[in-house]
Structures are given as C-alpha cells and as structure tokens.
Amino acid sequence: MSNYKRLLYIRSAPYKVNINGYNLQEIGFCKSLCKYGYQCDIVYYSNENKDEVIYSEQNGGIRLLWRKGIRLLRSGVYPKLLKKDFLNQYDLVILTEYDQIMTYLISKYTNKSVLYSGPYYNLFKIPFVEPIYCRLFNKSINRNIHIKFAKSQLSKNYLEERKFKNVQVLGVALDDSKFSLTKKEDYNENHKVESILEFMNEDTILYVGTIDKRKNTEFILRIFNKLKKKKESFRLVIIGKGSKSYTRRCFSMVEDRYKKDIMHVEFVKNGYLGDIYNKAKIFLLPSRQEIFGMVLLEAMYFGVPSISSCNGGSMTLIDNNVDGIVIDNFQEDIWIEEIMKLDRDDNLYNNISKNAMKKIRNNFLWDKIADKFIKSLSNMNEYYNV
C-alpha cells in the first residue's frame, strides 16, 4: 500500500462538468483510490466556490472543490490553489493534460505532482500557441514532474514527441457503479428513457456524445441515410447536444422519409443509459479526434458491438474483429459494409459482443487502473524521501 493518504486531483480545463450527465474519470478513479485509504479532493471549474462531499467509506472519501477560475484561451487557471500552504496539505497532486497552464504552475509549487495526460493532438491551444507553450514550459514540467502517465499509447507517443521522458501508459477505465447503484426515482428521466426504449427496435444504431465536427456526427447521418436503402428496419438514436446550426445541418442530410426512424435526445443522465445500451444493436463512434471516449467503454461494457474510428480509446480497447471494429478512414461504403456484416453474421456479432463485455469488465474498471497507479508510486520514493 502507498504511503500517500491525501490526494488532490485538478481538472484544469475551464469548463463546468455535470456529475450526473457523464461518467467522469476523476470521480471513478478516486472511488477506487479510496479503497487504498485515500482522502481525495477533486477540483472542478465553476462560477462559484463551494465544497461538496459526494462519497465516503471507511477508508477514504471524495470531496469536490468547485472553484472559480480564470479562462485563458482554452486553459483554466485557479489562483487560490497556487499557495504552498494549500498544496502542502496533500501528499500527491494529479495534474491533467501537459498543455494546461496549471500543470506548469502547480509543478513549480510542489514536487509531489503527477501528470495524467490524454490528448494526442492539440486540444486546448490555438495552433500557433502550442509551440510557444512547449518552448516556454515543457522542460520545466518534464524536470519537476517525475511520474508521467498517458491515457493511451497515442497520448504517450505524443508526449514523447515533445521530449517528455519516462511516460507510462496508465489507461482509462469505467465506473460501473453509475449503472448498478442508480436510484431510478426521477419521473421525468424515467419517462424519457421509456420513450427511447419504446422507439428502439432490434436494429437500432446508437450514438452517445457531443454533436460537433470533432465527433463527426454528420458522418453518422450520412451513413444512416444509405443504410436505410439496404435495410428498412434500421433505426437511429442520437443522445447528445450540439450547436443548433450544426445539428440542423447534420439532420438535413437525411431524406425526409427516413427522419421518422431517428430519435434525437439532448441529454440522459448517465446512470440511466444502461437500459439504452442494452437494447442497442450497434454503437458508432466515428470521431475525427477523441482523447479516449468513455462512451466506447460503456458500450463495450454492455456488450454492444462497436465500430470506431482510430482514436485513443479504440486503439487501446479494441482488437479488430475480436471485440470491436476499428476503421482507419471515413469512407462511408466501408463503414456501411462493416455494419451490414455485423447485421448478417450472427456468430461474428455474438462473439464481438461477448468478448467486448468480458474485456471491459475484466480489465477496464477503475480498480485495475488504481492498482497499477499505486504500484507505480513506489518509484516516487527516491524523489520524495517517503
């Protein structure tokens, strides 16, 4: 067991999260770390300062520190965290993403910081800013942070291209308690899910995620339009929000006669998604850029055969044609062919479903990642004199 007991986990991105609407990595990870005796504080961006205890057990607990931050371009800065008295109360500080300004600043204030980075492309910076940031800060971050984790092999490669040393792939996992412990007492949410389930049939394709260009949502609508010409019974459920203009453009790609077979719902609480995954036939994730894709973990957990583009999650989770399908291009006919192959071949479909469920439940729940993380911390002793 690690000697560290108090942990601060800083989510630097300057966007407020909805803890009911998404399977948040920070919370899932910290729940598993509590089993090792950690008291975990998680910093989330907010328009007000408040503390909220969300989880407690005999060995540890989780407190959310909602903090006002300053948004600089696409980076968040929390001035009140930049105090040695505050940081010294923690035995360990997890910093997310190498290219967030807080990663550089916190690493200057404490030598007990860990990097846990996901992007394998320029997610946060305006293009011309990233090389400036790298030139100014990367050497210092690399020198001051001794343990560096990446969420995928693609992310590890990206960090190493920027001269980061000793990067380990830790991965990402799923907090399945979101599904098993949800109290389904929300009448509106129950009614919404019931409506979706009534709409779905045995040939329903599912997408869950933001509706935007990076997620390539328009590609799904174009594919669906062609699929309907091959098999009339296909239906499509899309769960997620996007700008009105882009969403309107996406749905305009579908012929009017097929629009009755599409259901779009902007939001479903994460704990209620299990029933929807269980009824879906195929899950699509054609993202052009995707750090990992928690929805891919979720779909595979429920045994939904998934077809994905090449991204951080799919390249980590999927063995092609064994527990999912990865396509390295955006040729519509190839995606349609793979969907139809799953539709026609029951043996392939059932094997992928079974293997996907087994892989996630055996290897990609947070307890596995936390165990790997704890073992890696033993390497920090020489730096911290623990």
Side-chain angles (χ1 to χ4, degrees):
M1 180 176 291
S2 167
N3 292 316
Y4 304 106
K5 294 299 179 184
R6 294 209 63 192
L7 180 144
L8 180 67
Y9 196 143
I10 302 176
R11 187 183 190 273
S12 301
Y15 310 103
K16 190 169 183 179
V17 300
N18 181 346
I19 64 174
N20 293 315
Y22 193 66
N23 215 319
L24 293 168
Q25 296 174 21
E26 300 84 14
I27 294 175
F29 194 7
C30 286
K31 278 185 180 179
S32 290
L33 290 175
C34 286
K35 297 174 184 178
Y36 288 89
Y38 280 79
Q39 296 288 334
C40 301
D41 286 350
I42 302 173
V43 175
Y44 282 136
Y45 185 88
S46 179
N47 55 6
E48 61 177 331
N49 294 318
K50 68 175 183 178
D51 298 349
E52 178 184 3
V53 176
I54 63 163
Y55 183 74
S56 180
E57 65 170 40
Q58 186 175 359
N59 294 326
I62 300 175
R63 182 175 59 161
L64 302 185
L65 307 182
W66 299 97
R67 292 294 181 265
K68 290 182 179 179
I70 299 170
R71 184 177 297 176
L72 297 176
L73 300 177
R74 297 170 188 167
S75 279
V77 177
Y78 305 86
K80 290 191 176 181
L81 304 187
L82 300 174
K83 298 177 181 179
K84 288 192 175 182
D85 288 346
F86 172 76
L87 293 171
N88 285 343
Q89 66 183 303
Y90 296 100
D91 300 297
L92 200 66
V93 180
I94 297 179
L95 302 167
T96 52
E97 322 312 357
Y98 90 95
D99 57 355
Q100 283 283 315
I101 293 173
M102 282 298 289
T103 297
Y104 166 73
L105 294 174
I106 294 290
S107 71
K108 297 286 284 185
Y109 277 83
T110 176
N111 69 341
K112 294 188 177 182
S113 52
V114 171
L115 177 63
Y116 185 29
S117 191
Y120 55 93
Y121 52 88
N122 180 9
L123 176 64
F124 296 111
K125 300 284 180 289
I126 296 172
F128 75 87
V129 173
E130 187 190 26
I132 298 173
Y133 179 94
C134 291
R135 181 178 292 272
L136 291 175
F137 303 134
N138 279 10
K139 284 185 179 180
S140 176
I141 295 170
N142 198 24
R143 181 175 62 250
N144 293 331
I145 300 180
H146 305 295
I147 297 292
K148 308 173 189 73
F149 293 112
K151 295 180 180 179
S152 68
Q153 184 62 46
L154 293 179
S155 177
K156 180 178 187 290
N157 296 343
Y158 189 77
L159 289 174
E160 290 178 339
E161 288 170 2
R162 281 146 186 78
K163 310 302 181 185
F164 283 86
K165 305 294 183 184
N166 304 317
V167 181
Q168 307 171 57
V169 177
L170 184 60
V172 173
L174 186 67
D175 176 12
D176 62 345
S177 68
K178 282 274 190 177
F179 307 113
S180 60
L181 299 179
T182 297
K183 294 180 180 178
K184 308 217 171 169
E185 299 170 348
D186 187 326
Y187 174 82
N188 291 330
E189 204 69 12
N190 279 327
H191 182 70
K192 184 194 303 180
V193 172
E194 286 172 3
S195 298
I196 296 170
L197 295 176
E198 288 174 5
F199 171 83
M200 297 174 77
N201 64 8
E202 62 181 11
D203 291 320
T204 298
I205 295 167
L206 177 65
Y207 167 77
V208 180
T210 309
I211 297 177
D212 62 24
K213 292 181 180 179
R214 182 169 66 87
K215 300 284 190 174
N216 206 14
T217 317
E218 59 198 270
F219 185 75
I220 297 173
L221 276 300
R222 289 201 303 268
I223 285 175
F224 182 74
N225 200 64
K226 291 184 176 181
L227 280 171
K228 290 291 289 184
K229 294 177 172 62
K230 291 183 174 292
K231 188 174 181 179
E232 183 67 27
S233 60
F234 277 124
R235 289 189 173 184
L236 174 65
V237 170
I238 292 179
I239 299 175
K241 294 181 180 179
S243 71
K244 290 183 179 179
S245 60
Y246 181 75
T247 302
R248 187 165 50 246
R249 193 178 98 196
C250 288
F251 285 94
S252 70
M253 297 175 179
V254 179
E255 295 180 29
D256 288 342
R257 58 179 168 155
Y258 299 142
K259 288 180 179 178
K260 69 182 188 306
D261 294 315
I262 300 174
M263 176 176 276
H264 173 218
V265 179
E266 288 193 344
F267 177 77
V268 173
K269 287 183 178 179
N270 191 265
Y272 288 78
L273 285 172
D275 292 337
I276 298 170
Y277 281 118
N278 274 326
K279 198 167 181 180
K281 182 165 191 174
I282 293 170
F283 183 81
L284 296 184
L285 189 69
S287 304
R288 293 188 177 278
Q289 295 178 322
E290 186 78 60
I291 292 177
F292 201 89
M294 297 299 288
V295 290
L296 187 57
L297 276 165
E298 293 173 354
M300 293 175 69
Y301 174 88
F302 286 103
V304 187
S306 301
I307 304 177
S308 175
S309 57
C310 293
N311 56 63
S314 66
M315 301 302 286
T316 301
L317 298 174
I318 293 177
D319 290 325
N320 209 12
N321 289 304
V322 175
D323 42 40
I325 295 171
V326 180
I327 301 175
D328 63 359
N329 61 65
F330 295 102
Q331 295 182 42
E332 294 172 19
D333 290 343
I334 293 177
W335 283 71
I336 290 169
E337 181 182 346
E338 294 296 335
I339 292 170
M340 295 306 300
K341 186 167 66 175
L342 283 173
D343 180 67
R344 291 189 298 261
D345 190 335
D346 289 341
N347 286 333
L348 176 65
Y349 183 94
N350 291 332
N351 285 336
I352 286 179
S353 173
K354 178 182 65 178
N355 292 337
M357 183 182 294
K358 182 178 179 181
K359 174 178 276 187
I360 301 306
R361 296 184 184 217
N362 287 349
N363 301 293
F364 288 96
L365 298 183
W366 279 114
D367 283 356
K368 294 284 185 181
I369 301 298
D371 183 62
K372 185 177 178 181
F373 177 80
I374 295 297
K375 289 176 180 176
S376 296
L377 292 184
S378 61
N379 297 326
M380 301 175 77
N381 293 352
E382 61 182 282
Y383 299 108
Y384 301 154
N385 298 314
V386 173

